[in-house]
Amino acid sequence: MAIEKPKRKLQIRILVIFVVFTAILGMLGIRLFFLQVVDGPKLQREAVEQQTRDNEVASKRGTIYDRNYKTLAQSSTAETVTANPNEIRQAKKDVSVIAAELGAVLEMGASEIQTLLEKDTNHVTIKRKIDVDLATKVRELDLTGIYLQEDSKRYYPYGTFASHVIGFTGTDNQGLAGIEMVYDEELSGVPGRVISLKNALDTDMPFQQEKHIDPQNGANVVLTIDEVIQHFAEKHLETAYQEEKVQAGAAAIVMDVQTGEVLAMTSKPDFDLNNPFQLVDEAQQAQIDAIED
């Protein structure tokens, strides 16, 4: 009996250890199941986001033509200046120096740029839609944490011409009025992407690998508007508008009676499509400027 008692205790101890290890392995198995099966897709996405930098490449917006294929709205190549403040901070670069050099090229206030570069983030936009020559000057500065992204800029060759018909786009190239808004989905196209590797400090890997997905440019839109007839309609409506001093505005439409096609459509006052948020009427602008806060 004296020998059986220690043996019994040893068996109980081994059983307890076995149960504990089995329970631990079971919990690990359940946890592993949740990590691989239940949370697997989510963790995969987070890992890809953590290890890669995904930059959007703007697609070229489609051209708007009149009935004779005269260009009324088109897109030109531009670039957007962005920065990674955290990368600049980790590299221990002088933010004030970077801001001063960048401000001199972009014709922006150094203090404004410095405020952006001091933010606790991985991405800020410094200036949108700069032309190719200016982008080249920025690139030549070779500043740490400063990047250039492909973009496009909308240009309207005739200024105020058919402004209410054509409409205009916003800073993200989305249509905000007129044909630009109504056919925004067709004109926009599909943006491309540049996917590159980054490290835990959110800086580029020394062995850079990039995957380029080309953008799909937007479709063109052809209007029934005739550029020549539209010019005449606008000219004569402007004369009538000024001579009659119409307070509520004026409008005119020219149609083909055989087909019902609109050959010209205009209304006054109008606005400059290349600067749509600024009033063309100097008298109205003076009245607004005279209003006290």
Side-chain angles (χ1 to χ4, degrees):
M1 292 296 294
I3 298 174
E4 284 294 327
K5 209 168 183 180
K7 186 177 180 182
R8 178 71 176 169
K9 286 183 179 179
L10 181 62
Q11 289 175 341
I12 293 172
R13 191 176 298 168
I14 291 172
L15 180 63
V16 170
I17 293 173
F18 175 76
V19 170
V20 170
F21 270 98
T22 302
I24 292 172
L25 287 174
M27 287 187 290
L28 287 175
I30 293 170
R31 180 59 179 161
L32 190 62
F33 173 81
F34 270 92
L35 288 175
Q36 289 190 328
V37 179
V38 179
D39 294 335
K42 176 188 172 185
L43 293 173
Q44 271 189 324
R45 286 195 302 270
E46 290 177 351
V48 170
E49 290 174 2
Q50 188 180 45
Q51 297 166 15
T52 59
R53 191 192 309 282
D54 189 353
N55 294 323
E56 186 176 285
V57 180
S59 57
K60 188 176 180 181
R61 197 171 175 84
T63 302
I64 298 177
Y65 297 101
D66 85 331
R67 66 188 300 112
N68 299 310
Y69 286 89
K70 291 182 180 178
T71 301
L72 304 181
Q74 62 184 354
S75 292
S76 57
T77 302
E79 296 193 54
T80 292
V81 184
T82 65
N84 185 337
N86 286 342
E87 181 181 346
I88 296 172
R89 190 177 299 110
Q90 288 156 3
K92 297 181 179 179
K93 298 294 183 179
D94 191 334
V95 174
S96 61
V97 173
I98 294 176
E101 291 185 25
L102 203 55
V105 173
L106 297 177
E107 297 181 354
M108 292 177 62
S111 59
E112 179 186 354
I113 297 176
Q114 185 169 341
T115 300
L116 292 171
L117 297 182
E118 288 174 346
K119 290 186 176 182
D120 184 15
T121 181
N122 294 329
H123 179 87
V124 292
T125 299
I126 305 297
K127 192 168 185 178
R128 293 177 178 272
K129 303 181 187 304
I130 64 174
D131 59 38
V132 176
D133 292 337
L134 197 57
T136 301
K137 292 180 181 178
V138 172
R139 197 171 278 108
E140 288 173 351
L141 292 175
D142 194 23
L143 298 172
T144 300
I146 303 300
Y147 298 94
L148 286 159
Q149 294 181 357
E150 291 182 39
D151 206 339
S152 62
K153 185 177 182 180
R154 204 62 166 163
Y155 174 65
Y156 303 93
Y158 297 113
T160 61
F161 178 86
S163 55
H164 296 288
V165 176
I166 298 170
F168 56 92
T169 60
T171 54
D172 294 324
N173 290 323
Q174 78 279 25
L176 297 181
I179 294 296
E180 294 278 26
M181 180 181 70
V182 174
Y183 290 100
D184 183 60
E185 185 175 346
E186 290 78 8
L187 287 164
S188 294
V190 180
R193 314 201 78 80
V194 177
I195 303 171
S196 56
L197 298 176
K198 65 178 182 179
N199 57 27
L201 299 177
D202 199 43
T203 57
D204 291 335
M205 298 288 280
F207 49 93
Q208 190 57 267
Q209 292 183 349
E210 290 186 343
K211 180 179 180 181
H212 291 258
I213 302 174
D214 294 330
Q216 298 176 23
N217 294 333
N220 299 328
V221 171
V222 182
L223 306 180
T224 61
I225 296 292
D226 186 301
E227 181 261 343
V228 176
I229 298 175
Q230 178 75 22
H231 270 300
F232 276 109
E234 293 196 5
K235 177 184 175 182
H236 291 295
L237 186 65
E238 178 68 28
T239 301
Y241 175 71
Q242 296 296 338
E243 289 179 352
E244 299 298 328
K245 296 182 172 57
V246 182
Q247 295 297 319
I253 298 177
V254 180
M255 297 178 65
D256 185 333
V257 296
Q258 300 295 328
T259 63
E261 292 178 323
V262 176
L263 303 178
M265 180 185 291
T266 179
S267 59
K268 300 294 179 179
D270 51 18
F271 57 91
D272 185 353
L273 290 171
N274 292 305
N275 195 3
F277 301 107
Q278 180 177 337
L279 286 174
V280 175
D281 192 316
E282 294 180 0
Q284 288 183 344
Q285 186 64 56
Q287 289 177 356
I288 293 174
D289 293 339
I291 297 174
E292 296 182 358
D293 294 335

